[in-house]
Amino acid sequence: MAEVKLDFLGSLQRTHRCGELRASDAGSTALLMGWVHRRRDLGGVIFIHLRDRDGITQIVFDESRNPEQHKRAQELSGEYVIAIEGEVKLRGADTVNPNIATGEVEIAAAKIWILNESRTPPFPVEDNVDVKEEVRLKYRYVDLRRPRMQRNIIMRSKVAFAIRRALYAQGFLEIETPFMTRSTPEGARDYLVPSRIQPGTFYALPQSPQIFKQLLMVSGYDRYFQIVRCFRDEDLRADRQPEFTQLDIEISFLRDGQIYEIIEPIIWEACQAAGRTVEKKIAFITFEQAMRQYGSDKPDLRIPPFHCVEDLFAGTDLAREGLPLAAIHIPKAGTLTRKERDEIKAAGQERGLRVYDDSKRLERDFPEQMARVRERVKPADDDLLMLAAWAGEKRGALPEQTALLACGQLRLFLAQKYADRHKLLDPEVLKFVWVVDFPMFEWDEEEKRWNAAHHPFTSVHDDDLEKLTTDPAHCRAKSYDLVLNGVELGSGSIRIHRRDVQSKVFAALGFSEEEAKRRFGFLLEALEYGAPPHGGMALGLDRVIMLLAGEQSVREVIAFPKTAKATDLMCEAPSQVPEQQLRQLGIRVVNPQ
RNA sequence: GGGGACGUAGUUCAGUUGGUUAGAACGCCGGCCUGUCACGUCGGAGGUCGCGGGUUCGAGCCCCGUCGUCCCCGCCA
């Protein structure tokens, strides 16, 4: 870096932000602070674009009018931090810049303070410059200056504020819960925090504040929320970080259906804050419908459903007992090449499916059936319509479901493959849907036992109470997921508030009474001290913001995210620690890398 | 844990069947320039071709390993 004499900030104070000045401010004196976005040195006159998170203002240094300050401006370079004072002047008609909000004016610099210099940034502070994410993450503080990131981070703040406002308006209280808590054996892997004071023991960082918020209901804080960090030590994805933020909500005395009335306005306000207009009422689909129409418990409603047509093909080679035959329909895919058909078949095969793509042959062999299929699906002339069926041995505890999931994956594969043609996967379109009536339990093939599909505190559907012991596979839970464009935003349930019911569910999950007490004793005990009926949900705030911002990854809406291997490239976490620190904790590293 | 893509200047990329001194654009540095706004113009600097090994007369290019980033499956009550 050049040797530059730096000025002190002292009592200097901004009069405006860099996106604020307009023609009506002409004639007044302004003092701005910010970063040197660009310098254009024409010799006798130097133009600076001064930038802060609000916008850009042009500053002019004229050698003939103010040689001393002009000389100082020659020392400037990109990303220097400066303060500028001068008169706001109207630009001549031919020099107005329509590309920036302040383009009608400029500041004739009377005085410049150079507050700090800057090394040349590793990449330009602009959008539309592709930079490898690795570099962006290492210099995240620079990346966050770029307009797109600023827009996302600012949107995130605005959405969070709108959510808080909407919740306060509905009488909610924001209450904090501990980060250093007890490890619970179910669910994701815990991040552990060793205790120095109790050697050999560990706190766990919460996977969610689930139990604490239920305890708050027991305590009578009947409308609770929290925008809170949660931690899960599992592998990452584009929409998954090891620490992520939940909007956590719990409500007492929640009557049937009330949760939707409470959540929907909050979602609406959140979308409004992001500048997105959505319908106030969100559609419903049952888990079973979602599986049979979309092959997914998080259906993307922007693309048409597939249709199960095994009934039409009963008795033919295509239909197999207890397994679906899916008519997959993708609009506007047009005529496919041989190569494309092979790719589609291969994609189906990878997922265990046989794909019947030859429509001519299908029409020839099954003319009546295909007529009925077209009746159901109603494809246009240039739409893609093919059949898919499970190819091999039946698999899983629920083979039909396994097959439906594969069909759903194939549907998404095709929808993405031809997204350019049908244009239905438009991030501008927001299709929310409630998925309800989830099964209570899922079969764990490895451990050969039933697991809670949502979590073990979820109420069973009133009609299915008796099935808890007799037919767990067909027990429906009082749970609900909120899905947007094929992304699960969050889930919730009506909780069990009765000690006896909770015991039955634990029994169905194969826990002995002792085991249940050991794992969740404090919650079970709390249920014995006047627990009100309650329920709630948790929404993944990062995902909400991601979709509202039209981004493909939650990393684009988190200021300091982690990589796919859960590292922070900027501060180089996680890291080794001094031996002494480990000794104090009574920890020895067995296999250091 | 498995599969796939990528890694060359500060950044984004090109680099022919393996062949002389690894190029371009932007950025950076220096000169000139009083109305630019992606300023212009003249000149210049800048490379551990991710890292290690191998094949070869010769490797950015081929082979093996390894590290890193991204995507997907498993996993995420």
Side-chain angles (χ1 to χ4, degrees):
Chain A
M1 274 185 282
E3 291 284 318
V4 177
K5 186 180 166 293
L6 297 180
D7 299 301
F8 294 107
L9 180 65
S11 57
L12 285 180
Q13 197 176 324
R14 288 184 287 184
T15 59
H16 299 80
R17 291 183 167 277
C18 291
E20 246 182 304
L21 292 171
R22 295 291 181 274
S24 55
D25 295 301
S28 61
T29 296
L31 198 159
L32 302 184
M33 297 185 193
W35 286 259
V36 175
H37 187 61
R38 220 179 278 281
R39 185 184 65 151
R40 287 179 296 278
D41 187 343
L42 276 64
V45 63
I46 296 173
F47 296 98
I48 299 285
H49 268 179
L50 187 67
R51 186 196 73 237
D52 64 16
R53 67 171 160 89
D54 190 53
I56 284 177
T57 302
Q58 174 161 282
I59 317 294
V60 193
F61 295 87
D62 191 323
E63 187 176 26
S64 63
R65 296 187 188 188
N66 198 337
E68 205 175 303
Q69 300 300 309
H70 175 270
K71 198 174 178 199
R72 202 82 225 279
Q74 288 179 322
E75 299 178 75
L76 295 175
S77 183
E79 300 308 305
Y80 277 38
V81 184
I82 61 174
I84 293 289
E85 189 175 45
E87 189 190 340
V88 180
K89 289 192 164 169
L90 275 181
R91 298 202 199 182
D94 52 335
T95 60
V96 165
N97 184 350
N99 301 319
I100 55 177
T102 61
E104 285 187 286
V105 296
E106 63 192 10
I107 295 181
K111 172 82 178 129
I112 177 173
W113 295 263
I114 300 180
L115 301 174
N116 212 346
E117 53 197 333
S118 169
R119 290 170 62 180
T120 302
F123 49 85
V125 181
E126 288 168 23
D127 292 341
N128 311 322
V129 181
D130 266 340
V131 183
K132 274 196 260 316
E133 201 168 351
E134 209 172 337
V135 180
R136 292 177 55 203
L137 290 177
K138 181 170 179 190
Y139 300 97
R140 189 59 158 182
Y141 41 85
V142 176
D143 190 35
L144 288 170
R145 290 177 192 169
R146 305 210 294 173
R148 169 173 152 202
M149 289 308 293
Q150 292 201 336
R151 186 202 60 157
N152 290 354
I153 298 298
I154 291 167
M155 176 193 286
R156 184 177 179 127
S157 174
K158 286 182 173 169
V159 169
F161 178 69
I163 287 170
R164 283 200 166 92
R165 197 180 46 206
L167 282 159
Y168 283 124
Q170 294 197 51
F172 282 81
L173 297 168
E174 185 165 17
I175 304 173
E176 291 160 279
T177 52
F179 275 6
M180 292 160 62
T181 175
R182 185 194 163 87
S183 176
T184 50
E186 297 255 329
R189 263 189 295 275
D190 288 318
Y191 276 99
L192 295 177
V193 180
S195 165
R196 174 184 59 82
I197 294 170
Q198 308 287 337
T201 63
F202 296 83
Y203 302 95
L205 302 179
Q207 296 174 26
S208 87
Q210 181 61 36
I211 293 176
F212 287 106
K213 70 174 172 177
Q214 290 193 238
L215 295 172
L216 285 168
M217 295 304 104
V218 178
S219 306
Y221 297 91
D222 52 58
R223 288 189 168 205
Y224 144 94
F225 85 98
Q226 189 179 187
I227 292 178
V228 62
R229 202 67 54 81
C230 301
F231 307 86
R232 293 179 190 176
D233 186 6
E234 297 293 344
D235 287 354
L236 286 75
R237 286 283 191 285
D239 62 355
R240 245 159 56 192
Q241 284 272 303
E243 54 176 311
F244 60 99
T245 304
Q246 275 193 352
L247 168 59
D248 197 44
I249 292 173
E250 198 74 6
I251 304 145
S252 294
F253 309 118
L254 191 61
R255 70 173 148 70
D256 284 348
Q258 193 179 10
I259 185 76
Y260 312 114
E261 295 166 24
I262 290 170
I263 299 295
E264 282 169 11
I266 292 159
I267 295 293
W268 188 83
E269 292 277 357
C271 292
Q272 285 288 111
R276 308 289 291 268
T277 308
V278 294
E279 290 186 22
K280 291 203 169 177
K281 191 80 193 117
I282 295 175
F284 286 89
I285 189 169
T286 66
F287 172 81
E288 202 187 338
Q289 286 172 327
M291 290 305 296
R292 289 202 46 94
Q293 296 175 14
Y294 297 93
S296 169
D297 61 357
K298 44 181 180 180
D300 190 337
L301 268 50
R302 291 174 300 176
I303 323 157
F306 58 63
H307 289 73
C308 286
V309 295
E310 61 271 18
D311 56 324
L312 302 178
F313 287 83
T316 73
D317 290 347
L318 302 194
R320 287 170 61 194
E321 183 64 35
L323 287 177
L325 178 65
I328 300 177
H329 168 217
I330 303 295
K332 295 185 180 154
T335 311
L336 304 189
T337 63
R338 173 66 191 272
K339 191 182 160 204
E340 285 177 302
R341 291 183 178 284
D342 288 347
E343 281 168 7
I344 291 167
K345 277 184 176 168
Q349 208 164 14
E350 278 171 34
R351 295 163 175 84
L353 297 173
R354 167 138 188 217
V355 179
Y356 301 92
D357 65 306
D358 191 338
S359 54
K360 278 181 192 156
R361 192 166 154 188
L362 284 170
E363 296 288 354
R364 190 191 64 205
D365 295 350
F366 306 99
E368 286 171 34
Q369 288 92 334
M370 287 308 289
R372 299 275 309 273
V373 168
R374 279 198 306 277
E375 229 168 78
R376 271 188 205 174
V377 178
K378 298 189 176 65
D381 284 347
D382 58 347
D383 289 2
L384 169 66
L385 177 66
M386 41 180 65
L387 301 184
W390 189 253
E393 292 293 305
K394 290 188 180 181
R395 204 191 298 163
L398 298 165
E400 186 195 13
Q401 200 167 305
T402 308
L404 286 168
L405 284 170
C407 294
Q409 285 176 12
L410 184 63
R411 165 181 171 270
L412 282 181
F413 169 83
L414 291 169
Q416 274 153 19
K417 189 176 173 75
Y418 299 110
D420 290 346
R421 299 184 191 172
H422 57 65
K423 310 253 191 258
L424 291 174
L425 291 174
D426 179 358
E428 291 299 312
V429 177
L430 300 176
K431 293 270 192 182
F432 286 94
V433 61
W434 289 108
V435 182
V436 298
D437 291 347
F438 273 80
M440 188 79 178
F441 305 106
E442 283 168 356
W443 182 250
D444 187 328
E445 192 60 42
E446 276 179 32
E447 303 202 11
K448 303 288 178 202
R449 65 180 190 86
W450 293 101
N451 265 334
H454 182 53
H455 56 58
F457 321 116
T458 304
S459 287
V460 65
H461 222 277
D462 295 343
D463 304 335
D464 297 342
L465 193 57
E466 283 106 64
K467 292 187 194 163
L468 265 183
T469 42
T470 56
D471 186 13
H474 294 101
C475 278
R476 287 164 302 164
K478 285 190 183 175
S479 69
Y480 31 83
D481 277 13
L482 182 60
V483 172
L484 170 55
N485 292 2
V487 176
E488 183 196 323
L489 291 186
S491 60
S493 63
I494 305 299
R495 326 296 182 189
I496 297 165
H497 65 280
R498 277 167 47 177
R499 177 71 168 85
D500 58 329
V501 178
Q502 185 68 71
S503 289
K504 279 185 191 159
V505 170
F506 278 147
L509 289 168
F511 296 173
S512 67
E513 189 69 13
E514 295 76 49
E515 204 175 353
K517 269 187 188 159
R518 186 167 52 78
R519 293 183 177 197
F520 305 109
F522 59 107
L523 176 67
L524 291 174
E525 202 174 4
L527 294 182
E528 296 170 3
Y529 286 90
H534 63 285
M537 74 178 305
L539 287 160
L541 191 66
D542 310 282
R543 288 182 184 177
V544 173
I545 309 290
M546 171 182 86
L547 291 167
L548 292 180
E551 294 289 359
Q552 301 285 322
S553 160
V554 289
R555 293 188 302 276
E556 302 299 336
V557 299
I558 296 173
F560 300 102
K562 293 187 173 52
T563 68
K565 286 199 178 154
T567 64
D568 183 324
L569 294 178
M570 186 181 62
C571 65
E572 298 182 318
S575 66
Q576 297 188 333
V577 296
E579 183 59 33
Q580 190 202 352
Q581 240 178 318
L582 290 176
R583 258 203 312 278
Q584 285 182 342
L585 296 167
I587 288 178
R588 192 182 303 135
V589 178
V590 179
N591 287 314
Q593 292 307 306

